Every structure is written in structure tokens, then in C-alpha cells.
Amino acid sequence: MTDCPTILLVAPTFYDVSYSINPWMDPGAWARDPRGMHRRAMASFDALREALGRAGFQVEVMEGAPGQPDMVFPANAAVVLDGKAVLARFRYPQRRGEEAPFAAIFEDLRARGLIDSVETLPEGCYQEGAGDCIWDASRGHFWAGFGPRSSREAADAMARHFGQEVVALELATEQSYHLDVCFCPLAGGEVLYYPPAFSPAALREIRARVPAAQRIEATEDDLRHFSVNAVNRGDTVVMTRTTPHLRTELGSRGYRVLEVDLSPYMMSGGGAYCMTLRLDRVSTSVRRAAAA
Ligand code: ARG
């Protein structure tokens, strides 16, 4: 595996919004000007790639597959930690066709030494990748969303695959259909989250584990700007064009916010985090072994 901060993107060559499997998706708006939308999507993608480079990432861009527009969101393709990728299983038939091309992509990444191994989930549960299973580097565990897309059992399967603690959080609304829409742990230990997205039990879990001083509550406006769906490295946060509230809040906590216009992807229910997948995340146990 690689020890340089590496992040996967999938080129938007085949991206469009042609079906609707979450409440943000707007195939009608896309259909009014498909060529113009595609042009804007390409420009947004380039801007994101550039911002990720400025945040210090090595960016790996892979090709998608025709007929699979949502491959542009590799956060849903797998969960990756300590060099191991566990491939996703999608809930909706519209996205199941991504599983084979993504398996080929991960095999290629393995052959090139960027990851060490590729594993598959047990039958009978859905799990939509890092979008629903987020590594919290400060606390050393995963947070897993379940409900609209991933199954509750997938959290236990992930704990077995990685030998790590997984804290399962029930998502209570279709608007926050993946955990990464409404939850983002930051490098300084803060957690940016949107409280109304969670069940009462999930909220209790978050508040028991994250002290009040480290909880940043997103507003509905922040959520609608897809600002919680952010990519963080050190003191840099890459996100779609955000709100005055979050600009001030993150700035006062010492973060530098790099904003990119990702509106063509928000029309599919995605922001910066969805469009990426970190390949180099390591758990504290692996980091300790490497230092020994
Ligand atoms: N249209 C995609 C879907 O509904 C968007 C996925 C966004 N990804 C994410 N990790 N939130 O599945």
C-alpha cells in the first residue's frame, strides 16, 4: 500500500443524471441541457481535482463505465483501511452494474501496489462503501450509517473485515441517505454533523462519544449546500461552495476551506466527499506497528 495521501477519483466521462434514487436527483434539470450540463460537470471535476492537489493529495483518476453514471462517486465503491479494500454491494439495481467495473478498478490498484488486498462482503447485506462507513482518524474507529442504503448488519461485517470498532448510526431521513451527507469527522477531532438526520439513539451515540466543544452542528442550509460532504486533510477542507455560517465556523477553528462549484454533482445528491475515496488510511494499530 501507499503511505502518501492518495485519493481516488473516477472521470465523469459517462456521468449524467438519468434516474432518481435519492430526493436530490433531478433528471429533468439535466435533460433540459445535457450537453451544457456535461460540460459543466467536466469543469467542476477538473476544479475538484486541482483543489485536492492543493490539499496535498496524490490524485488517481480511473475511467468509469458506459451506462453507469454514478461511478463518478467512488466513495460508494468500497471501504479502504490498512491497505485492504472491501467492495460495496449496492441497494438499488440502478447502481449494481458498478460492482463489476469497480472490482476491476480495485484489482488494478492492487496490481499497482496502491492497495494490498480486495475482499467481498458476505451475502445478504447491502453496504455502500466509505459513504456509509467513515474512518474517524482521531478516535480510531469507523462510524457506519444504516437505513436508506446500507444494512445494519453491514456494520458488523465491517468490524470483522477490518478488526476495528464500528459505531452504527441509524439515518432517519431519505435526504441524508448516506452518512457522508450529514456527518464528517475532522482531523482536529471535531465532528461536523446535521442532527435532524439521525435517529434519537444515533444522536445519543454521537453525543456520548464527541464532547460538546468538538461538535459542529450543521444547519439545514449547510446540508443543502452539501457542505458536510467534505474532504479533510490536516487543516484543509475541500467542499462545494459553502455558507457564511460554515466559512466562519471552520475558519475560527483554524481550518482553511477550499471551495469548488460542484453543482452538477449536487444535482445527483453528491458533494466533494462522495466523489473521492482515500486509499491510504491506516488504523492506529497499524501505525503503531510500523513505528515499532
Ligand atoms: N446519485 C448517487 C446515489 O444516489 C449519489 C451518490 C453520492 N454518494 C455519497 N457517498 N453520498 O447513489
Side-chain angles (χ1 to χ4, degrees), residues 247-262:
R247 246 175 239 137
T248 312
E249 179 65 39
L250 292 172
S252 73
R253 291 177 185 257
Y255 289 99
R256 165 175 81 129
V257 182
L258 302 183
E259 298 179 41
V260 183
D261 172 15
L262 295 176

Side-chain angles (χ1 to χ4, degrees), residues 15 17 19-22 25 70 73-76 90 92 95 98 128 130-132 149 177-181 226 229 265 267-271 273-275:
Y15 174 67
V17 185
Y19 53 76
S20 180
I21 54 171
N22 74 57
M25 289 183 88
D70 280 343
F73 302 112
N76 297 125
F90 288 94
Y92 286 111
R95 295 199 67 180
E98 299 177 31
E128 298 202 350
D132 259 342
R149 298 290 181 91
Y177 59 96
H178 283 138
L179 182 63
D180 64 1
V181 175
F226 271 85
N229 196 261
Y265 300 98
M267 207 181 273
S268 186
Y273 180 94
C274 309
M275 296 179 69

